[in-house]
Amino acid sequence: MNPIFIQPPQVAWASGALSEGPLLRKSTRIQDLAGIFVDEQARQKMPDDLIVYDVEMLATSPAEGELYTGVTHLYPGKIGHEYFMTRGHFHNRREQGEVYFGLRGSGLLLLQNEQGEARLERVFAGSVHIIPGFTAHRLINTGDDVLSALAVWPAVAGHDYAALANGFSLRVIEENQSVQVKEAKNG
Ligand code: PA5
Ligand code: NI
């Protein structure tokens, strides 16, 4: 027998770069993040087209039971005193969980349940994050390098951004050159 060895997609662990598969890419820029950061005036003063994060994912089947795999590259930076972060979301299918793996850089994963109770996990190369169902999630880059994290989630999960219209209940800012966590006023 002459087996055919399939070449699978690859992730370069050090950089998070995906290859060898059909890929989808999406950039999220300053102009896409109105109302997400506490200092909206500071956001408006930044260049509209500056990329805050890129997501690269394998273009796999969206069918029930399938899994999506993607890497988020969250760049270092701040809007006012608040560190760059992803928009954050619940899954449309609330019961569906997700796993994040830290690849490079350093930051935090903000997790919040439907009662508004939040917690923060440190993200670093090698960290593993089990995000249960019914839990909103957001990455925050508190470091000076790109924060890259690999994620695997059910294809049927979907993203619900609207449910977080009041935001998360914690904000992560830089104060006196250190990382500070504050209760959000609106969240
Ligand atoms: O599925 C995920 O949770 C991630 O791939 C996120 O979608 C990614 O980090 C971008 O964040 P958001 O979808 O909140 O803009
Ligand atoms: Ni998700």
Side-chain angles (χ1 to χ4, degrees), residues 53 55 72 86-89 91 98 100 137 139 151 153 159 161:
Y53 56 100
V55 177
T72 299
T86 58
R87 179 182 292 274
H89 58 271
H91 291 153
E98 183 161 355
Y100 275 31
H137 38 287
L139 276 173
W153 69 100
H159 294 80
Y161 297 103

Side-chain angles (χ1 to χ4, degrees), residues 34-103:
I36 299 296
F37 290 83
V38 72
D39 190 344
E40 179 57 20
Q41 282 187 352
R43 188 195 67 81
Q44 287 173 11
K45 285 186 192 137
M46 295 183 67
D48 268 356
D49 57 353
L50 182 74
I51 297 177
V52 178
Y53 56 100
D54 285 315
V55 177
E56 195 169 53
M57 62 180 277
L58 301 176
T60 47
S61 160
E64 174 94 42
E66 303 285 351
L67 297 170
Y68 281 148
T69 302
V71 179
T72 299
H73 301 284
L74 175 59
Y75 300 103
K78 288 191 292 286
I79 294 185
H81 297 284
E82 196 171 18
Y83 294 103
F84 274 10
M85 58 193 184
T86 58
R87 179 182 292 274
H89 58 271
F90 280 102
H91 291 153
N92 276 331
R93 288 267 302 265
R94 288 287 192 280
E95 79 284 4
Q96 301 289 329
E98 183 161 355
V99 187
Y100 275 31
F101 305 88
L103 298 179

Side-chain angles (χ1 to χ4, degrees), residues 4 17 22 41 51 62-63 69 78 84 88 93 97 101 106 108 116 124 129 134 143-144 147 155 157 160 182:
I4 294 166
Q41 282 187 352
I51 297 177
T69 302
K78 288 191 292 286
F84 274 10
R93 288 267 302 265
F101 305 88
S106 60
L108 295 165
F124 50 88
H129 309 271
F134 305 95
D144 298 327
L147 178 66
D160 179 355
K182 305 274 181 197

